[in-house]
Amino acid sequence: MARISPQIRQEILDKTDFLSVYQEHVHLQKKGGSYWGLCPFHSEKTPSFSVSVDTGLFYCFGCHKGGSVIQFLMDVDKLTYTEAMEELAHRSGVQIHFEESERAGEAEKERQALFELYDRLSKTFHWFLVNHASGRKGLEVLYKRGLTDVLIEKFSLGYAPANRQWLYSFLKAKGYSDNFLRHSGLFSKNDQYWPLFADRIMFPISDVKGRVIAFGGRAMDQEGPKYINSPETAVFKKQDTLFALSQALDSIKSADEAIVCEGYMDVLSFHAAGMTNAVAPLGTAFTSHQAMALRRRASRVVLCFDSDEAGLHAAERACSIAAGVGLETSVLLPEGGKDASEILEKKGEGELTRMSKNTINAGHFLLTRASQLFDISTMEGKAKAVSFLFPFLDALDSDVQRQGYIREIGKALGVGAHAVEMDYAKAKVSGINRSRNAPSSNS
Ligand SMILES: [Zn+2]
């Protein structure tokens, strides 16, 4: 742990507007001597997260997490103690300086070295894309998809050279050890000289502070998988990370809404069309951790997944996950193209902007899906359709909302609301299949 004198620590805490730190992550309301909000550490629908006005300490009566504003920053932004103190010192205008030897132990050194490596590499990949002849074909792919130089710059897109000898010798020349490179997430597990990314368009993946922690790579030709992502490392956890969150953060906060789409190119297409609040999970399903990361910054989310069957199924799951953390959820179905990227390429910005207005609320989307997936002219089909909707019903914020949705289900499927309610109550007792469709309640 870094050495910061107790005096400096106290000075930083005294000068910190702790409420504003909490409020960046939690929507707080004052009640008595405390502020209350939805806990950013566990999934809940009524506020049990509190901040004491007098002490500046936080405590959650649901998951029992608690502590100082330093601990809060460490947990909520996944920072080390040193990073959290740096952040608070910066906010409060107190000068602190760490000597290299004062940094924490080996683990902390490795994290810092990884940040430095990924930063250096993303700049080098970017240079290849923009300035080197070999990057030209990559640029052309991006231009063809309707992306501009400004956007390529903003996301620091890059190109990984086709020569598979290049990366290892480049990094060795910079003085990196074999042992460090083995854990860097850049080389094959089976062959430490074999780079995972070669002849690919590179998408740097950043943490919420904008530090590059991983890459996504898109193939130029049809050889091998179209997209690959970095494996997890000491600084990269897939389920916690959203592509473009750092670039989209301000827009998400000011719009009080985030767009979640399927891939990197979709995110870039939305940003190209001026919808700069778009993010994406990393080639996997949308997780409740990612949903929580959004809920700390906004109250609404729009899901825009591909219009194929896999995309629709992903959207179904994501509805329950987003609603389950208390996000007001709606769905945007791509029209006139498979996804946002195809719409931008074929129809242009105007069409993507126009389409983005046609959202439907998650409940309505799921009802439509239920009537497509099951034969609701039969009693058996109706029963299946109803139970298909249970995970979402379960994820809803309040009993009032739930009652309203039960009435809607009854009307749409031609069954009595009371029957829906009875079936739901029975399913609750035997356990709704949460693993398939809903987030766990304690993530
Ligand atoms: Zn909690």
Side-chain angles (χ1 to χ4, degrees):
M1 195 171 279
R3 275 184 286 143
I4 298 170
S5 72
Q7 291 86 345
I8 293 286
R9 183 178 183 277
Q10 198 51 51
E11 187 191 347
I12 291 171
L13 285 177
D14 288 346
K15 289 188 177 164
T16 294
D17 174 8
F18 61 84
L19 211 52
S20 76
V21 178
Y22 290 115
Q23 271 166 332
E24 272 177 25
H25 299 276
V26 186
H27 181 68
L28 291 170
Q29 281 185 311
K30 193 161 189 233
K31 272 185 209 146
S34 296
Y35 282 83
W36 293 84
L38 293 176
C39 178
F41 303 114
H42 83 279
S43 199
E44 66 173 357
K45 290 152 195 174
T46 48
S48 46
F49 177 88
S50 67
V51 176
S52 158
V53 177
D54 296 333
T55 61
L57 300 176
F58 75 96
Y59 182 72
C60 173
F61 289 85
C63 65
H64 307 293
K65 248 186 204 298
S68 69
V69 70
I70 305 168
Q71 188 64 47
F72 178 78
L73 270 185
M74 289 168 70
D75 291 340
V76 83
D77 276 340
K78 307 268 184 310
L79 303 182
T80 62
Y81 175 77
T82 310
E83 289 166 341
M85 287 309 288
E86 277 172 333
E87 169 80 31
L88 292 175
H90 176 73
R91 296 174 69 113
S92 57
V94 177
Q95 294 281 335
I96 49 169
H97 181 70
F98 297 105
E99 296 301 328
E100 204 44 46
S101 61
E102 285 182 327
R103 292 252 177 217
E106 285 308 307
E108 175 58 20
K109 274 190 196 147
E110 189 186 340
R111 279 169 55 85
Q112 293 304 326
L114 281 170
F115 288 135
E116 192 207 15
L117 168 68
Y118 275 83
D119 177 60
R120 167 178 270 165
L121 207 50
S122 87
K123 285 178 178 143
T124 308
F125 287 150
H126 182 63
W127 181 86
F128 272 108
L129 180 73
V130 177
N131 297 315
H132 194 262
S134 65
R136 190 67 219 173
K137 54 181 179 171
L139 268 188
E140 270 156 21
V141 169
L142 296 169
Y143 289 155
K144 184 168 169 278
R145 290 305 197 100
L147 305 182
T148 61
D149 288 329
V150 175
L151 212 65
I152 290 167
E153 206 62 44
K154 180 177 171 190
F155 285 86
S156 193
L157 303 186
Y159 171 73
N163 177 355
R164 290 198 181 259
Q165 264 77 56
W166 173 79
L167 186 63
Y168 180 77
S169 44
F170 173 74
L171 294 176
K172 281 305 276 187
K174 301 283 178 201
Y176 290 104
S177 73
D178 280 350
N179 188 41
F180 174 71
L181 291 179
R182 211 170 288 136
H183 300 110
S184 67
L186 295 169
F187 295 92
S188 161
K189 266 202 183 110
N190 308 318
D191 179 350
Q192 68 170 105
Y193 309 108
W194 189 257
L196 296 176
F197 302 99
D199 195 23
R200 282 177 183 266
I201 296 173
M202 300 298 284
F203 300 83
I205 296 163
S206 306
D207 66 7
V208 71
K209 298 181 89 181
R211 297 176 297 196
V212 180
I213 52 174
F215 290 107
R218 180 189 190 275
M220 306 289 290
D221 314 307
Q222 284 316 308
E223 243 177 76
K226 189 165 182 194
Y227 283 96
I228 52 175
N229 288 316
S230 300
E232 300 203 334
T233 64
V235 294
F236 175 47
K237 297 282 167 282
K238 232 173 238 187
Q239 64 163 357
D240 294 340
T241 310
L242 283 159
F243 175 66
L245 183 58
S246 66
Q247 288 93 340
L249 204 55
D250 289 343
S251 302
I252 289 174
K253 284 183 193 165
S254 60
D256 195 26
E257 179 178 283
I259 299 173
V260 175
C261 43
E262 216 171 297
Y264 307 127
M265 290 301 281
D266 297 327
V267 169
L268 293 170
S269 303
F270 275 114
H271 282 252
M275 285 163 277
T276 50
N277 58 337
V279 297
L282 303 168
T284 47
F286 185 50
T287 68
S288 48
H289 285 258
Q290 292 162 341
M292 294 283 277
L294 294 177
R295 201 205 67 195
R296 284 182 219 125
R297 280 109 187 171
S299 57
R300 298 190 309 272
V301 68
V302 176
L303 306 168
C304 182
F305 292 159
D306 293 2
S307 59
D308 58 14
E309 196 50 36
L312 289 168
H313 185 59
E316 288 161 21
R317 293 173 47 102
C319 282
S320 297
I321 287 171
V325 302
L327 282 162
E328 193 185 311
T329 308
S330 55
V331 176
L332 182 57
L333 295 169
E335 291 163 26
K338 170 176 165 293
D339 53 29
S341 176
E342 199 177 289
I343 294 166
L344 181 73
E345 180 186 346
K346 295 194 171 147
K347 311 237 162 121
E349 269 178 46
E351 185 58 20
L352 188 56
T353 309
R354 191 199 61 74
M355 180 204 89
S356 70
K357 309 260 189 292
N358 298 337
T359 59
I360 48 175
N361 76 50
H364 187 76
F365 163 74
L366 290 171
L367 259 177
T368 310
R369 283 292 288 161
S371 59
Q372 289 163 348
L373 289 168
F374 307 101
D375 176 7
I376 57 164
S377 66
T378 66
M379 275 331 272
E380 202 196 347
K382 284 183 208 280
K384 280 185 184 158
V386 167
S387 66
F388 166 82
L389 298 165
F390 286 160
F392 181 71
L393 208 49
D394 209 35
L396 282 179
D397 231 15
S398 70
D399 286 334
V400 176
Q401 274 183 303
R402 198 169 294 121
Q403 286 304 323
Y405 194 49
I406 285 176
R407 279 196 297 276
E408 251 183 84
I409 295 172
K411 235 164 100 185
L413 300 178
V415 291
H418 184 65
V420 176
E421 206 163 343
M422 294 290 285
D423 272 8
Y424 174 63
K426 259 186 264 169
K428 278 286 268 191
V429 173
S430 56
I432 289 167
N433 187 358
R434 299 179 66 86
S435 62
R436 190 179 152 267
N437 279 316
S440 69
S441 59
N442 57 356
S443 55

